[in-house]
């Protein structure tokens, strides 16, 4: 035997019976709109107040001024943000997201090079600075090596 349809918006509960949902009140409607807005704009910031002013004047028939509209929005925003604060990321997540890369990575020395001594541990680092300074440093290093070789012989 067919059953009568339930009220509009009725939903079946766990035992199959339909229960009526409460009607939307203005506060819940505003909260829903702010939740929707916050999905793409987490801090609910607003730009384009000039266009908003023109539209609001047409909709509300000039009953509210621009400053009143801004004030009302900020009040609603503040109440919403206090009642439903955003979940903040942990400090580690923020640091990982904001840590810049360091540039090129150097080739890692294999562990076999250290163990066998086959790695060239005597490599000189390149001097930084202008070319004249680099040439002077290279000459100093080469002359220092020449002196040590002469002493060794």
């Amino acid at each position: 035997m067919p059953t009568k349809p339930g009220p509009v918006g009725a939903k079946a509960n766990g035992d199959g019976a339909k229960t009526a949902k409460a009607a939307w009140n203005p506060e819940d409607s505003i909260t829903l709109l702010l939740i929707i807005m916050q999905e793409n704009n987490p801090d609910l910031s607003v730009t384009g107040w000039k266009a908003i002013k023109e539209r609001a004047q047409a909709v509300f028939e000039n009953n509210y001024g621009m400053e009143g509209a801004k004030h009302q929005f900020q009040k609603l925003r503040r109440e919403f943000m206090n009642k439903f604060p955003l979940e903040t990321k942990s400090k580690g997540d923020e640091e990982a997201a904001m840590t810049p890369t360091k540039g090129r990575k150097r080739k890692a020395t294999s562990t076999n090079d250290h163990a066998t001594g086959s790695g060239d541990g005597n490599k000189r680092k390149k001097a930084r600075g202008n070319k004249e300074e680099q040439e002077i440093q290279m000459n100093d290093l080469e002359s220092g090596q020449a002196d040590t070789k002469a002493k060794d012989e």
Side-chain angles (χ1 to χ4, degrees):
M1 172 162 49
T3 60
K4 286 185 175 180
V8 176
K11 182 178 179 183
N13 63 14
D15 62 0
K18 293 189 176 189
T19 57
K21 289 283 185 178
W24 285 88
N25 63 35
E27 185 178 332
D28 290 345
S29 296
I30 291 169
T31 301
L32 175 64
L33 287 173
L34 292 170
I35 289 170
I36 293 167
M37 289 171 53
Q38 194 176 40
E39 184 64 28
N40 292 320
N41 185 2
D43 62 349
L44 296 173
S45 60
V46 175
T47 58
W49 279 105
K50 184 178 180 183
I52 293 169
K53 173 189 171 193
E54 292 170 3
R55 181 108 190 254
Q57 285 176 338
V59 170
F60 298 117
E61 300 174 351
N62 292 324
N63 287 332
Y64 307 106
M66 180 64 168
E67 291 303 315
K70 281 184 179 181
H71 183 310
Q72 182 66 13
F73 175 74
Q74 291 302 329
K75 177 183 166 193
L76 293 170
R77 179 186 172 275
R78 184 174 41 255
E79 288 173 0
F80 176 79
M81 297 295 268
N82 288 336
K83 191 173 182 180
F84 306 103
L86 283 175
E87 293 180 18
T88 57
K89 294 180 182 179
S90 69
K91 191 174 183 178
D93 292 342
E94 288 179 18
E95 287 177 8
M98 296 182 72
T99 303
T101 58
K102 303 274 182 172
R104 289 188 186 181
K105 292 183 180 180
R106 294 184 183 184
K107 183 179 177 183
T109 307
S110 69
T111 55
N112 293 339
D113 290 346
H114 290 297
T116 61
S118 63
D120 188 7
N122 295 329
K123 286 187 178 179
R124 289 181 264 161
K125 292 183 179 180
K126 290 184 179 178
R128 296 198 175 232
N130 63 28
K131 287 185 178 184
E132 291 177 21
E133 290 176 1
Q134 289 177 356
E135 289 177 16
I136 293 170
Q137 290 175 352
M138 291 298 288
N139 290 336
D140 290 345
L141 289 173
E142 288 173 1
S143 66
Q145 287 178 349
D147 292 342
T148 56
K149 285 182 183 177
K151 288 180 184 178
D152 290 339
E153 292 175 1

